[in-house]
Amino acid sequence: MTVASHAGPSRLVVVSNRVALPEQTATGGLASAIGAALQERGGLWFGWSGEVARQTASEVHRQQDGRVEYATIDLSRRDHDDFYDGFANRTLWPLLHYRPDLVDYNRKHLAGYLRVNNLFADQLMSLIGPHDLVWVNDYHLIPLAALLRERGVGNRIGFFLHTPLPAAGLLIALPRHGELLETLASYDLIGLHTPRDRRALEEYFLYEAGATMRHDGRLHTRGGRSFRAEAFPIGIDTRQVAAEGNRADEHEEIHQLRQSLEGRALIIGVDRLDYSKGLPERFHAYARLLERSPALHRKVTFLQIAPPSRGGVPEYRQIRRELERSAGHINGLYAAPDWVPIRYVNNSFPHALLSGYYRTARVGLVTPLRDGMNLVAKEYVASQDPEDPGVLVLSRFAGAAQELTEALLVNPADTEEVAEALERALTMPLPERRERWRRMMDVLEKQDVTAWRNAFLQRLAG
Ligand code: GDG
């Protein structure tokens, strides 16, 4: 299909690696947040279809759903492996999550990353109208604005990084970091989750790239570009998640879960199966809780939902094996004929059911080693029963910890501290639970996904 350029009034054009098509269940944070934003405002969503085809397609698949148009392309096996499994997920993801030990740097993967970004730029330039606002998302597409500028695109282009950004001292561990990271200056606005991430970006440009800071807070590069970097903490659709939690009773599956608990307190974790989420450390901390508190045996159940992701990357297959072993080991040590301490589930579920599961749980256990924000933490809080809310145990290294300060904040690597926090959460009196929950809910109601999106887009529109 040939694609005519769009010449109408200003639209929102969202670009991300994966596009959550209307018929698909999205299990990623980006997809949930962007999907909600686009549905509300309308516009175009461009990216990879998720299909690996014989050839990287020159054809763009287009479909309309309500106010959103979806335009996607397929990738060849080679492009997928080098760009997605390779440079994006074996080089950038571990680096951005403070794991230089896991960084696998390979020039072939970098070439694939640039090839796919060029392909995105080629296809996208004919879809963009002269007044459109372009919003590029995440680490897969760092050089996209620079490549669009090379092709003459003068629109305002914003970038949002959904991961953390480590300090310059770590970023420079990436071979040829300048060639890649300095292309960020081609955006007009760069959004990050927290002030700490924003500072890291500024430091990188000031001390590694020779940029200067203008009076108005813009960074000015040696190449003559100027851009802004700001923190925009992403939110959730608080009202909808609360409504889903409130309707938990309508689902047979929630009744089944409640019945199966036989009055035991539920601890819940929900995470993509990813080494950044701190799952082995979490399992150890739960085991430590059982070890130090025999009184809790048979009184508590830990449900960990972990839909697999990125199965093409060896580290992901390895963590899956490690968790199976660990869950088996803990259950082997502590299980009784009528009690299984850990229920470890590798499936994904419809969002409304997840909210019901969260609401059933006395404790939400969210302990990533590093996380840009972590929407599960926010969803757990929003889905609680205001009269009898559960307690959030949250890693200090999730962006969400900067806002949800009334959670029990822990260092996920400190097994003893997490075990203590679990015990405290399980025994916390109702008035304290209510007070902490109310304060967190106030933040979530004010800073929801609509406020996030509006703040970013208003700033971008300048
Ligand atoms: C990245 C950053 C940042 C999970 N399981 C199922 C399911 N989910 C949904 C959750 C939540 C989302 O996926 C996960 O979001 P997180 O923020 O927790 O984590 P990442 O996927 O790593 O997201 C992160 C985020 O982007 C946004 O910027 O916060 O730091 O890493 O919404 O509910 N959804 C469904 N079934 C599942 O089984 N339907």
Side-chain angles (χ1 to χ4, degrees):
M1 184 199 283
T2 50
V3 179
S5 90
H6 182 95
S10 163
R11 285 180 315 172
L12 173 61
V13 175
V14 169
V15 191
S16 60
N17 170 52
R18 281 301 294 274
V19 172
L21 293 168
E23 63 275 12
Q24 295 169 345
T25 304
T27 57
L30 185 154
S32 320
I34 298 293
L38 262 176
Q39 281 298 340
E40 199 179 304
R41 176 176 164 140
L44 173 76
W45 194 349
F46 176 83
W48 173 41
S49 61
E51 296 296 322
V52 177
R54 279 165 72 92
Q55 282 184 334
T56 288
S58 47
E59 186 191 357
V60 179
H61 313 291
R62 298 177 78 162
Q63 77 182 88
Q64 186 83 31
D65 181 55
R67 308 173 63 196
V68 187
E69 186 187 358
Y70 297 83
T72 57
I73 52 173
D74 302 337
L75 293 180
S76 70
R77 168 62 55 197
R78 181 174 80 116
D79 281 346
H80 170 270
D81 291 356
D82 291 348
F83 156 74
Y84 183 68
D85 279 352
F87 198 74
N89 286 331
R90 297 191 68 184
T91 310
L92 291 177
W93 178 268
L95 181 78
L96 294 168
H97 287 84
Y98 297 66
R99 293 297 301 271
D101 55 314
L102 296 182
V103 169
D104 173 88
Y105 180 77
N106 177 330
R107 285 199 177 184
K108 187 165 84 71
H109 292 166
L110 174 60
Y113 180 84
L114 296 174
R115 202 164 59 238
V116 171
N117 271 272
N118 270 292
L119 177 82
F120 268 47
D122 284 338
Q123 298 291 3
L124 188 59
M125 58 180 286
S126 56
L127 297 173
I128 300 175
H131 308 295
D132 290 350
L133 270 189
V134 183
W135 184 5
V136 178
N137 285 271
D138 233 359
Y139 61 99
H140 313 84
L141 302 172
I142 289 171
L144 188 61
L147 300 172
L148 287 169
R149 303 276 183 231
E150 278 173 15
R151 287 160 177 75
V153 173
N155 297 51
R156 292 192 70 80
I157 312 179
F159 180 77
F160 193 86
L161 183 68
H162 291 259
T163 69
L165 191 75
L170 186 48
L171 286 175
I172 58 174
L174 179 70
R176 300 165 68 180
H177 55 88
E179 283 169 45
L180 184 66
L181 297 177
E182 289 182 33
T183 65
L184 283 169
S186 294
Y187 290 97
D188 296 296
L189 175 66
I190 296 180
L192 303 120
H193 282 307
T194 67
R196 179 191 290 152
D197 302 310
R198 191 210 67 227
R199 275 197 305 277
L201 187 81
E202 281 174 5
E203 272 175 26
Y204 179 84
F205 270 92
L206 293 176
Y207 302 117
E208 299 295 332
T212 50
M213 177 75 83
R214 290 270 163 102
H215 295 307
D216 62 359
R218 287 171 171 274
L219 284 159
H220 190 75
T221 67
R222 286 180 300 207
R225 284 224 35 110
S226 75
F227 67 98
R228 222 176 246 296
E230 273 180 38
F232 299 91
I234 197 169
I236 56 167
D237 190 339
T238 308
R239 218 184 310 158
Q240 185 181 324
V241 177
E244 283 175 356
N246 206 21
R247 287 198 304 268
D249 279 347
E250 293 172 14
H251 302 280
E252 185 52 32
E253 290 88 339
I254 303 299
H255 288 286
Q256 283 165 351
L257 172 64
R258 286 185 182 155
Q259 228 166 24
S260 75
L261 290 172
E262 295 177 327
R264 296 182 182 106
L266 182 67
I267 301 172
I268 195 167
V270 176
D271 309 75
R272 275 186 313 99
L273 194 46
D274 191 302
Y275 50 79
S276 67
K277 302 292 183 184
L279 293 166
E281 293 79 359
R282 191 181 304 173
F283 281 22
H284 288 150
Y286 179 65
R288 177 70 189 119
L289 173 75
L290 298 180
E291 188 184 23
R292 52 180 254 162
S293 311
L296 287 174
H297 292 197
R298 288 187 146 92
K299 301 239 166 43
V300 61
T301 294
F302 173 28
L303 169 61
Q304 175 64 54
I305 296 176
S309 67
R310 305 176 192 172
V313 178
E315 287 76 18
Y316 288 76
R317 295 196 293 272
Q318 196 200 320
I319 191 158
R320 190 170 177 172
R321 283 194 298 273
E322 186 181 343
L323 288 171
E324 279 162 8
R325 256 202 317 272
S326 176
H329 180 69
I330 296 168
N331 283 337
L333 263 181
Y334 294 105
D338 60 344
W339 175 53
V340 181
I342 297 191
R343 300 180 187 178
Y344 175 51
V345 180
N346 282 136
N347 291 334
S348 58
F349 297 90
H351 209 270
L353 266 191
L354 274 189
S355 303
Y357 290 148
Y358 294 139
R359 190 175 175 108
T360 307
R362 170 47 50 92
V363 182
L365 186 52
V366 184
T367 52
L369 302 177
R370 291 283 163 182
D371 220 328
M373 175 54 66
N374 196 297
L375 298 179
V376 167
K378 295 188 168 184
E379 291 167 359
Y380 174 77
V381 172
S383 60
Q384 293 306 300
D385 176 356
E387 297 306 314
D388 186 19
V391 180
L392 177 64
V393 175
L394 177 62
S395 162
R396 297 175 193 284
F397 306 123
Q402 314 246 325
E403 292 167 277
L404 302 180
T405 49
E406 294 298 318
L408 299 183
L409 296 179
V410 294
N411 177 341
D414 186 343
T415 309
E416 207 62 43
E417 187 183 40
V418 179
E420 273 165 21
L422 279 173
E423 190 153 0
R424 186 167 165 213
L426 287 164
T427 53
M428 189 180 284
L430 181 60
E432 184 178 351
R433 281 193 273 129
R434 277 196 190 147
E435 193 173 322
R436 286 176 180 271
W437 176 81
R438 188 62 257 170
R439 293 216 187 140
M440 292 194 280
M441 197 60 178
D442 286 345
V443 175
L444 298 183
E445 280 167 349
K446 203 159 141 243
Q447 280 150 226
D448 68 355
V449 72
T450 308
W452 170 74
R453 184 252 303 170
N454 286 343
F456 183 85
L457 290 176
Q458 268 166 26
R459 200 62 161 150
L460 176 61

